[in-house]
Amino acid sequence: MPNNITLTQFIIEQQREMPGASGTFSLLLNDIVTACKQISHRVNRGALIGVLGNADSENIQGEVQKKLDIITNDIMVDALSWNGLLAGMASEEVDDLISIPEQYPKGKYLALFDPLDGSSNIDVNLTVGTIFSILRCREGVDPEIEDFLRKGSEQVCAGFVLYGPSTIMVLTTGHGVNGFTLDQDIGEFILTHPNMRIPEETSEFAINMSNQRFWELPVQRYIEECISGKDGPRGKNFNMRWIASLVAEVYRILTRGGIFMYPYDTRNPERPGKLRLMYEANPMAFIIEQAGGLCSTGRERILDLKPEGIHQRVPLVLGSKEEVEKIISYHQQNN
Ligand code: F6P
């Protein structure tokens, strides 16, 4: 491939290698890219354009929405409504499914997204992101909830955009994982991180330690062994990170390995995990597995879960293969 290959060029060239591909998918991706560039711009301008702080509303999860949660959701919906490529959408910020407005044709894909992941970080100027997942839909239907409730293994594409020191898009269509950096001067995402692979050797974990008293035994055991370092059963020292922004944690793991956990905890029996299956766990699982890692609830592979609700939450353990396998084995031993 030539130098400075753009995301659009990359996707079109990938599609050419797939017999029977119609090319419509690259158009859809283009609209996601356009939305993410707009979001990047708003996030970057921040206080200068008055977009920081809370809105006067809560989302379906009962969380106070940030102004930017609402703005970024509107940007995604507007950018994806008109193109005739989607049959419907679902957003972490919206209770019900989002229909395509009557005046536009409907297409064969479904888009699910978390328009601003990690938004509690926005007012303290830390990294946030947009996560998206694309599913195929039966053609010519007005999609119902069942059309969306499909296993993560059926995703045709998943990606996220990180609004950090650089704006970076990470993407998979099931043929590996590639990273593209937004060149602000020319307004294009350029392939900068081809074929991302999660390093297998790792000694870094990410977990919200303030919830320790609510974890199950297998997770308690894993973390205790990490913390006991060189003198413990692992025989090496571990480092810890917690950014409270899933996109940033996953990007770190893709670049230097490690493990991230938001495990099952007993705080609220009706809420077995914090993160959402459809907008967070599934797309990240697709990316992590395509980069050679693993993603599990601790008991089941995330991509094999049959979703029960569009806003369902799940326990999430992801990262370097050997570490996730270790945690799964601790869960099995505990059963
Ligand atoms: O789902 C939103 C999210 O902000 C994730 O991006 C992040 O990993 C997690 O929640 C942070 O949780 P906590 O607020 O418990 O640190």
Side-chain angles (χ1 to χ4, degrees):
M1 281 194 191
N3 285 338
N4 278 353
I5 183 161
T6 64
L7 175 56
T8 312
Q9 190 179 349
F10 180 86
I11 292 297
I12 290 176
E13 290 190 3
Q14 239 189 14
Q15 282 212 324
R16 280 195 195 128
E17 285 167 26
M18 282 183 241
S22 64
T24 50
F25 180 70
S26 51
L27 298 176
L28 172 58
L29 209 56
N30 233 16
D31 289 334
I32 295 177
V33 165
T34 304
C36 291
K37 284 182 198 166
Q38 291 182 52
I39 295 174
S40 175
H41 179 70
R42 302 289 170 93
V43 166
N44 182 263
R45 301 286 291 159
L48 296 174
I49 53 171
V51 294
L52 302 186
N54 291 344
D56 293 327
S57 54
E58 286 187 352
N59 64 13
I60 175 80
Q61 336 274 346
E63 296 158 341
V64 175
Q65 285 181 305
K66 297 280 177 190
K67 285 184 197 163
L68 266 172
D69 283 323
I70 298 169
I71 294 169
T72 55
N73 184 71
D74 291 348
I75 290 175
M76 288 295 281
V77 173
D78 289 349
L80 299 179
S81 289
W82 64 275
N83 56 27
L85 304 169
L86 291 180
M89 295 177 247
S91 165
E92 191 200 292
E93 295 301 330
V94 181
D95 303 4
D96 301 321
L97 301 179
I98 304 166
S99 309
I100 302 300
E102 283 295 316
Q103 68 265 38
Y104 300 125
K106 290 194 183 65
K108 61 180 179 188
Y109 295 107
L110 299 172
L112 298 94
F113 45 83
D114 177 355
L116 200 67
D117 178 65
S119 58
S120 66
N121 277 333
I122 193 70
D123 297 338
V124 290
N125 202 24
L126 290 179
T127 299
V128 289
T130 299
I131 311 174
F132 57 91
S133 159
I134 307 293
L135 291 165
R136 243 181 253 287
C137 184
R138 294 175 293 139
E139 257 183 274
V141 299
D142 239 335
E144 293 173 7
I145 190 91
E146 276 308 316
D147 292 291
F148 285 81
L149 298 184
R150 308 245 298 285
K151 290 184 184 173
S153 54
E154 293 183 43
Q155 291 170 102
V156 292
C157 170
F160 64 86
V161 177
L162 195 71
Y163 311 110
S166 301
T167 293
I168 294 183
M169 176 176 277
V170 172
L171 191 72
T172 187
T173 53
H175 304 277
V177 177
N178 291 282
F180 304 81
T181 304
L182 180 60
D183 183 334
Q184 307 277 3
D185 290 340
I186 59 170
E188 290 280 2
F189 279 98
I190 304 292
L191 179 63
T192 45
H193 296 70
N195 195 22
M196 299 179 88
R197 302 291 299 170
I198 299 176
E200 285 173 21
E201 262 295 294
T202 168
S203 47
E204 198 163 63
F205 65 88
I207 194 163
N208 185 341
M209 287 294 292
S210 70
N211 298 325
Q212 184 172 17
R213 65 193 183 284
F214 302 113
W215 301 335
E216 294 183 300
L217 284 177
V219 174
Q220 299 275 8
R221 174 181 169 191
Y222 178 84
I223 295 298
E224 208 175 292
E225 289 179 359
C226 292
I227 291 174
S228 51
K230 231 168 178 283
D231 302 329
R234 301 298 305 270
K236 60 177 180 177
N237 293 329
F238 279 75
N239 191 14
M240 196 198 94
R241 285 286 181 272
W242 188 250
I243 309 175
S245 171
L246 181 64
V247 280
E249 317 269 11
V250 168
Y251 189 74
R252 186 188 61 249
I253 289 171
L254 285 167
T255 46
R256 68 176 193 212
I259 184 155
F260 167 92
M261 279 176 274
Y262 216 116
Y264 181 96
D265 73 43
T266 56
R267 264 179 298 176
N268 177 353
E270 282 163 27
R271 213 182 84 165
K274 179 179 180 195
L275 302 182
R276 292 78 172 171
L277 177 60
M278 306 303 287
Y279 317 106
E280 294 173 311
N282 270 343
M284 290 313 195
F286 193 18
I287 292 167
I288 290 284
E289 288 201 5
Q290 283 291 314
L294 281 185
C295 192
S296 169
T297 62
R299 296 184 166 84
E300 289 159 286
R301 180 179 177 235
I302 290 288
L303 294 179
D304 286 339
L305 294 176
K306 172 74 186 105
E308 288 162 7
I310 197 79
H311 295 294
Q312 178 182 352
R313 295 175 193 255
V314 288
L316 184 61
V317 178
L318 63 79
S320 297
K321 189 165 172 281
E322 279 178 26
E323 296 301 310
V324 178
E325 276 170 351
K326 191 175 272 299
I327 293 178
I328 294 172
S329 77
Y330 288 0
H331 280 84
Q332 285 163 348
Q333 287 165 32
N334 199 52
N335 281 340

